Amino acid sequence: MNLERTTDPTKIDFKAKFDLTDKVIVITGGCGLIGRAFCEASAQFGAHVVVVDIPAAEPAKFAAEMAERHQKQMMGYSLDVANKSEVEALKKEVISTFGKIDGLVNGHQNKTKSFFEPFEEYGEDNWDAVVETNLKGTFLTCQMLGTWMSQNGGGSIVNIPSTYSVVAPNQNLYKGTSLGCPAAYSASKGGVDALSRYLASYWATKKVRVNMITPHGVWNNHEKQFEDNFARFSPMERLSYNHEVASALIYLLSDASSYVTGDNMLVEGGWTVW
């Protein structure tokens, strides 16, 4: 990216700053609720999207649908983000296909079958599975793909921590519902936040910007009691939608945020201002 050295804003094409045309963006958890919105938004702004997810999510199928819809080359790739050799293979496949990596979005997370176990009874295997995917998986993708970008002209990394890596869960939110927030989730996402800030400083001179988006309460046909509870505790009195989170991604991936690194963009309806 060549930055114009000027104080005259009329010389800047501000719309063009958001353009992702022909940039190669790798999105893990790409078939999830927010992940699909991330993929579609990136594609609409011109990117070649590499949709990464577990085999059961069929990322290749989703990538093929996007390729047909946007008439642009996309890629789907199945892996376990916590497996170093599989992440290394992903990097090699992306470079072999596109010749470069411009952006990495870590949207993966693991909700195990026993995800909502109470803290007093939370099993070690359950804890390990959540932390392995959420934190170790982010470490490995940043290490493999981020290192490549740091050695080849730079790029943008966007990680996804959580509101509960910023503040503690309000347990009243979950009263009368089947939902909750386990400590393993908060701890793993807190690690993602700390790792992101570390890498933002570590790679700043290598032209790799590392930022975060923190969503909260993304609507997914929730039970009515949860929606009612959420409305009482949110300044905006509603849940968000996945497309509202995806809009922030375009800013952080694109040249529009060329002087932004180490930031955590809160897309949470003002939840943490109270």
Side-chain angles (χ1 to χ4, degrees):
M1 177 181 59
N2 294 317
L3 289 172
E4 182 78 18
R5 189 175 173 86
T6 181
T7 58
D8 182 359
T10 65
K11 292 184 177 181
I12 304 300
D13 185 342
F14 286 96
K15 284 187 178 181
K17 278 178 168 283
F18 291 87
D19 189 25
L20 298 178
T21 296
D22 292 333
K23 291 194 175 189
V24 177
I25 308 298
V26 179
I27 302 178
T28 69
C31 295
L33 176 66
I34 299 177
R36 283 181 175 265
F38 281 169
C39 290
E40 179 62 24
S42 299
Q44 286 188 19
F45 275 79
H48 297 287
V49 179
V50 180
V51 184
V52 181
D53 215 313
I54 59 175
E58 300 183 304
K61 179 181 178 182
F62 181 41
E65 293 170 356
M66 283 205 308
E68 182 176 357
R69 186 162 57 251
H70 296 283
Q71 293 298 295
K72 203 171 192 71
Q73 186 178 10
M74 309 291 181
M75 177 192 292
Y77 198 93
S78 300
L79 56 59
D80 174 3
V81 292
N83 185 306
K84 185 172 184 176
S85 63
E86 292 186 21
V87 177
E88 177 70 21
L90 165 67
K91 182 193 74 174
K92 291 179 179 178
E93 185 69 19
V94 174
I95 298 301
S96 174
T97 302
F98 295 104
K100 63 174 184 171
I101 302 170
D102 298 294
L104 167 64
V105 183
N106 280 308
H108 56 266
Q109 64 176 357
N110 187 0
K111 288 191 174 181
T112 64
K113 291 182 179 179
S114 303
F115 187 68
F116 295 121
E117 277 185 332
F119 178 76
E120 294 82 358
E121 302 167 17
Y122 220 78
E124 289 183 57
D125 290 346
N126 203 12
W127 176 280
D128 290 345
V130 174
V131 174
E132 280 269 305
T133 299
N134 294 3
L135 181 53
K136 182 183 177 182
T138 301
F139 155 66
L140 289 176
T141 56
C142 287
Q143 184 183 56
M144 297 291 103
L145 281 67
T147 295
W148 188 93
M149 288 190 281
S150 75
Q151 296 170 348
N152 291 274
S156 176
I157 296 174
V158 181
N159 293 327
I160 313 298
S162 167
T163 305
Y164 297 147
S165 56
V166 179
V167 296
N170 182 340
Q171 301 300 334
N172 291 316
L173 173 63
Y174 304 108
K175 285 185 175 179
T177 78
S178 61
L179 303 174
C181 180
Y185 181 81
S186 291
S188 66
K189 291 295 192 175
V192 169
D193 184 298
L195 175 64
S196 301
R197 295 176 193 277
Y198 176 92
L199 292 176
S201 173
Y202 187 73
W203 278 331
T205 60
K206 300 292 186 180
K207 299 182 180 179
V208 176
R209 297 183 299 103
V210 184
N211 290 293
M212 296 167 276
I213 297 174
T214 289
H216 186 54
V218 183
W219 181 76
N220 191 21
N221 295 301
H222 285 92
E223 52 199 89
K224 184 178 184 303
Q225 185 61 60
F226 180 79
E227 288 203 48
D228 290 345
N229 290 353
F230 195 96
R232 288 200 299 273
F233 296 120
S234 169
M236 294 186 70
E237 298 185 337
R238 68 171 177 86
L239 295 161
S240 66
Y241 298 102
N242 59 355
H243 58 81
E244 293 179 297
V245 184
S247 299
L249 179 70
I250 303 306
Y251 171 69
L252 292 177
L253 284 177
S254 71
D255 293 344
S257 59
S258 56
Y259 201 59
V260 178
T261 196
D263 185 54
N264 186 3
M265 183 173 289
L266 303 179
V267 187
E268 37 77 287
W271 185 271
T272 61
V273 301
W274 282 352

